[in-house]
Amino acid sequence: MGYTVRKLLESEQFPKMKLLCGEKGLDLEVKGIRIIEIEDMERYLTGGEILITSLQVYLSCSDREVEQHFEDLVKSDISGFIVKKRKEYDPTGRRLSLLEKHCKKYEIPLVEIPEDLYYWGIIRHVIMQVFDKETARLKYFKIIHDNFNTFILKNNGSSNTASDIIKFLSIMIENPVVLYYGDLNCMVSTNLDNSKLILSDEIQPYKPNIITKFQYMKQMKGSCVQYVVKFAILSEVEIYITITEENRELTELDYMAIENAIINLQYGFLSEFAQNEVKKKYQRDLIHNILNGLLSSKEMTEAAAQLGMKESDTYRVVDFHTITKNVQRKYTKEQLHEVGVIVGELMHLLPDALIYRNMDQIVMIQQVDSDQTELEYQKEMEEVKDVIQRSILYRKKDTDFQIGIGKSVEGYQRLKESYHEASRAIKYIDIIRLVTGDKNKSVVHYSNLGFFQIFGKVDDVTELERYIPETLKKLYLYDEHKGELITTLQMYLRNKQSIRKTADAMFVHYRTISYRLEKIKQISGIDFDNANEVLAVSNGLIIYKMLKEIE
């Protein structure tokens, strides 16, 4: 005699199973096991299967239809039923009673399992008892493949697809599962551990005894074995998944479940990515039109409503720039990808803000916290800058991350003003660095630009040129190609006209600086003893820098 329901009930692995009826059929041979996934399951049975159900599939059926399905199933040469009683699927217990009625009539075993006992341990056990090893693997693969496909179709469009798949996998393999971003931060966890993934120095490559296209690694987490699987989305975004053997050791069948879960995660991420891209494109167009004042008052109100903004609230615009060092503002595919990574990091750091990307530029609309001072907000943006800059260094990228902050404005109708200021702050950040001598200054609030705001409002180049002293114009004409005299003049004024400090800052001999200063005096006629003239020259140097930026 082959494997029977009696032997399943006698197994020490499942002590909570309870026979409800059908004792005379306990010795019917079990030739397979299936989950009831559709109402007309009898069409797909080959005979001898034990069927598992929670009665969920019959939620939309009438009692008469359910009774007919049960009638058809018990006539299909099955070996028994395993039912998980759940109140949400059968609140009155009537459907279980109907199933019990038919099982008694045809002397088919009906076994009940508690709500806290999952199907998958039973399925693995039965398959390994009924089939040889290779056939069992194929049968189990088919079952989990069908279940994941059904699961994905039911959850299509859900924003929690990844979380649901991870929880589903954890139930299947009876061990905790955690999903991590490429930077090793936790994305989804099935236990209380949301800490960052730690890759041990002793982590080793691991090859499960199945055909796989993913990279497995193995390490210890405390006293438990932990498997780390690395995979990618769109061949670019790295993801890690970990499975820790806290409850039991993994088998070949579990690795097949892991493979299916990863494939469905990739599909889920791609589907979510496509939906998000459509959403982001629509949102991007709305934000672009609002910030640039391209909408009528009515259109503005409708667009703001779509974005969840209210006219009674206060907002500010922040402009983020990712200008790569030593590159003339031309972006390669790799550099634009880096901008995309930074956008993702900003969204993670500032989840409540509206963030819009236009090539290398990233713009944020943020509701103002009335309890927060401007100085506190400046510090918050400094912290954001530090986090992003550390991530850039971790990725070994050479990106100059900059933040320009616009003023707070009442309502969304005036967002254009705040955006204009944030963009101006970014535009003149090099000048601020020049004046302050802080080459690493990366966060600038427009309101702190002081008198530079005056020059920033002058769009006519000839108007700006009027503020440049004739003495400085002569020097620029003479030093146009070499630039060493202009650089020396800038450094000399920045170091309070100290020849020694200027020489140290430029790594040249002080006599070289003295020679250059004499040359500057001969060409331009600048009187360094005249404080007013020195101030005019200092401002002129700044204006030249601004003119260069405008060009």
Side-chain angles (χ1 to χ4, degrees):
M1 184 184 292
Y3 192 72
T4 64
V5 177
R6 185 186 301 278
K7 290 180 180 179
L8 177 61
L9 285 168
E10 292 172 350
S11 170
E12 294 181 358
Q13 290 187 46
F14 312 109
K16 294 182 179 180
M17 283 186 170
K18 181 173 71 174
L19 181 68
L20 297 181
C21 66
E23 188 171 350
K24 290 182 179 180
L26 285 176
D27 292 320
L28 290 171
E29 184 178 3
V30 177
K31 297 181 180 178
I33 187 165
R34 299 286 293 269
I35 300 173
I36 299 180
E37 298 160 339
I38 54 175
E39 295 96 333
D40 51 350
M41 193 76 189
E42 68 278 357
R43 293 164 48 195
Y44 303 94
L45 301 177
T46 57
E49 292 98 339
I50 187 168
L51 304 180
I52 301 180
T53 182
S54 64
L55 305 175
Q56 180 184 12
V57 72
Y58 300 113
L59 275 175
S60 60
C61 300
S62 66
D63 283 351
R64 180 71 194 97
E65 288 172 324
V66 172
E67 188 164 12
Q68 184 60 53
H69 288 311
F70 289 158
E71 180 85 31
D72 294 337
L73 283 172
V74 295
K75 289 179 179 178
S76 301
D77 189 27
I78 59 174
S79 58
F81 280 94
I82 297 174
V83 63
K84 179 187 282 194
K85 188 176 179 180
R86 298 182 65 171
K87 287 185 178 180
E88 64 264 40
Y89 301 147
D90 187 23
T92 64
R94 175 166 171 73
R95 295 187 173 183
L96 179 57
S97 297
L98 289 173
L99 178 58
E100 192 171 353
K101 182 182 84 172
H102 288 287
C103 286
K104 285 178 179 177
K105 179 179 177 181
Y106 291 94
E107 298 182 342
I108 292 173
L110 174 60
V111 177
E112 184 182 40
I113 60 174
E115 196 168 329
D116 61 352
L117 181 62
Y118 293 107
Y119 300 152
W120 298 99
I122 300 170
I123 292 171
R124 285 192 301 271
H125 174 80
V126 171
I127 281 179
M128 295 305 291
Q129 297 297 323
V130 173
F131 303 105
D132 62 74
K133 187 176 180 180
E134 288 305 313
T135 306
R137 288 174 60 171
L138 290 172
K139 292 283 185 182
Y140 191 69
F141 178 86
K142 178 70 167 60
I143 291 171
I144 59 175
H145 180 73
D146 290 348
N147 271 266
F148 266 118
N149 283 351
T150 303
F151 180 80
I152 283 291
L153 288 172
K154 284 181 180 177
N155 286 270
N156 194 29
S158 167
S159 59
N160 296 314
T161 300
S163 176
D164 293 338
I165 290 173
I166 290 301
K167 289 174 184 174
F168 193 42
L169 174 62
S170 181
I171 290 168
M172 276 187 169
I173 64 177
E174 301 172 73
N175 277 306
V177 181
V178 186
L179 195 65
Y180 297 90
Y181 296 101
D183 62 2
L184 308 184
N185 282 312
C186 177
M187 185 190 311
V188 178
S189 175
T190 61
N191 56 19
L192 298 176
D193 185 5
N194 294 312
S195 59
K196 199 166 185 175
L197 173 62
I198 298 173
L199 297 176
S200 164
D201 293 337
E202 279 123 36
I203 194 167
Q204 297 290 330
Y206 177 76
K207 187 171 178 60
N209 191 26
I210 59 169
I211 298 172
T212 178
K213 60 179 180 178
F214 303 115
Q215 178 186 345
Y216 283 74
M217 295 173 283
K218 184 178 179 180
Q219 64 181 9
M220 297 300 296
K221 184 177 182 182
S223 60
C224 301
V225 174
Q226 183 180 67
Y227 298 93
V228 182
V229 191
K230 182 180 177 181
F231 62 100
I233 309 297
L234 294 173
S235 301
E236 293 185 353
V237 180
E238 290 183 349
I239 305 286
Y240 292 88
I241 186 172
T242 65
I243 303 95
T244 308
E245 290 181 339
E246 287 187 9
N247 303 318
R248 66 175 181 83
E249 293 183 7
L250 300 184
T251 66
E252 290 180 13
L253 300 185
D254 294 317
Y255 292 117
M256 293 163 65
I258 294 168
E259 293 282 311
N260 268 275
I262 294 174
I263 290 168
N264 281 278
L265 278 169
Q266 289 178 316
Y267 171 82
F269 279 125
L270 286 173
S271 176
E272 192 173 332
F273 174 80
Q275 292 175 47
N276 285 342
E277 282 302 297
V278 173
K279 182 180 177 181
K280 281 195 290 187
K281 173 67 169 66
Y282 179 64
Q283 189 181 79
R284 191 162 56 236
D285 290 345
L286 289 180
I287 295 174
H288 173 80
N289 291 337
I290 288 173
L291 294 178
N292 289 280
L294 301 177
L295 303 175
S296 65
S297 180
K298 182 181 178 182
E299 290 171 335
M300 179 79 82
T301 301
E302 291 174 354
Q306 291 284 337
L307 297 170
M309 291 192 292
K310 300 176 182 177
E311 187 60 17
S312 57
D313 290 332
T314 303
Y315 300 94
R316 69 159 52 85
V317 178
V318 178
D319 193 358
F320 303 98
H321 250 229
T322 53
I323 302 171
T324 304
K325 294 176 182 176
N326 303 322
V327 177
Q328 297 301 315
R329 297 188 183 238
K330 290 185 179 179
Y331 288 82
T332 63
K333 183 180 178 182
E334 181 184 357
Q335 289 165 341
L336 290 175
H337 175 260
E338 173 67 9
V339 176
V341 172
I342 292 172
V343 170
E345 291 172 337
L346 286 170
M347 288 180 170
H348 180 70
L349 290 169
L350 304 159
D352 297 326
L354 288 170
I355 295 177
Y356 145 80
R357 174 190 172 185
N358 182 19
M359 290 296 285
D360 63 301
Q361 183 188 32
I362 307 165
V363 179
M364 174 178 74
I365 301 175
Q366 191 175 42
Q367 188 173 342
V368 173
D369 181 354
S370 57
D371 295 328
Q372 188 179 44
T373 66
E374 290 298 320
L375 180 59
E376 288 171 339
Y377 188 75
Q378 176 88 11
K379 288 181 178 178
E380 181 184 327
M381 288 297 103
E382 292 279 0
E383 290 170 3
V384 168
K385 184 265 297 181
D386 289 341
V387 171
I388 298 295
Q389 201 65 58
R390 281 197 297 271
S391 295
I392 291 169
L393 290 172
Y394 175 79
R395 292 191 296 272
K396 298 180 180 178
K397 300 295 181 182
D398 191 21
T399 302
D400 184 7
F401 184 67
Q402 306 168 358
I403 302 178
I405 304 171
K407 67 181 177 182
S408 300
V409 293
E410 294 292 331
Y412 49 77
Q413 298 283 354
R414 296 178 58 203
L415 279 169
K416 181 180 178 181
E417 298 173 30
S418 185
Y419 173 54
H420 179 77
E421 288 193 356
S423 300
R424 288 280 184 176
I426 285 288
K427 187 172 185 178
Y428 297 119
I429 202 164
D430 285 342
I431 297 165
I432 302 302
R433 288 174 174 177
L434 175 68
V435 174
T436 61
D438 183 358
K439 295 179 181 179
N440 297 315
K441 190 171 183 62
S442 299
V443 181
V444 175
H445 199 306
Y446 185 78
S447 62
N448 295 333
L449 285 175
F451 84 97
F452 298 117
Q453 295 181 38
I454 299 172
F455 297 121
K457 292 174 182 176
V458 179
D459 293 321
D460 187 348
V461 175
T462 57
E463 281 294 309
L464 280 174
E465 287 178 346
R466 291 174 54 191
Y467 293 93
I468 302 171
E470 287 299 322
T471 52
L472 190 58
K473 289 180 181 178
K474 291 177 184 177
L475 187 62
Y476 263 99
L477 286 172
Y478 178 85
D479 199 38
E480 188 175 358
H481 300 295
K482 274 190 163 185
E484 64 179 25
L485 295 182
I486 293 295
T487 304
T488 301
L489 177 59
Q490 290 171 340
M491 196 64 69
Y492 180 63
L493 295 177
R494 188 181 301 166
N495 285 282
K496 299 179 181 179
Q497 300 187 47
S498 167
I499 294 176
R500 178 68 65 183
K501 289 180 180 178
T502 304
D504 291 343
M506 297 186 71
F507 303 103
V508 296
H509 198 276
Y510 77 93
R511 287 181 181 172
T512 302
I513 299 299
S514 295
Y515 169 77
R516 289 179 183 174
L517 289 172
E518 284 301 319
K519 192 82 172 174
I520 289 169
K521 290 176 184 177
Q522 290 173 14
I523 296 165
S524 65
I526 295 173
D527 180 2
F528 289 107
D529 294 325
N530 187 324
N532 290 332
E533 187 172 349
V534 169
L535 178 61
V537 169
S538 297
N539 290 341
L541 287 168
I542 294 168
I543 294 167
Y544 260 116
K545 180 72 174 176
M546 294 174 81
L547 287 172
K548 190 175 180 182
E549 289 295 316
I550 291 171
E551 290 171 3

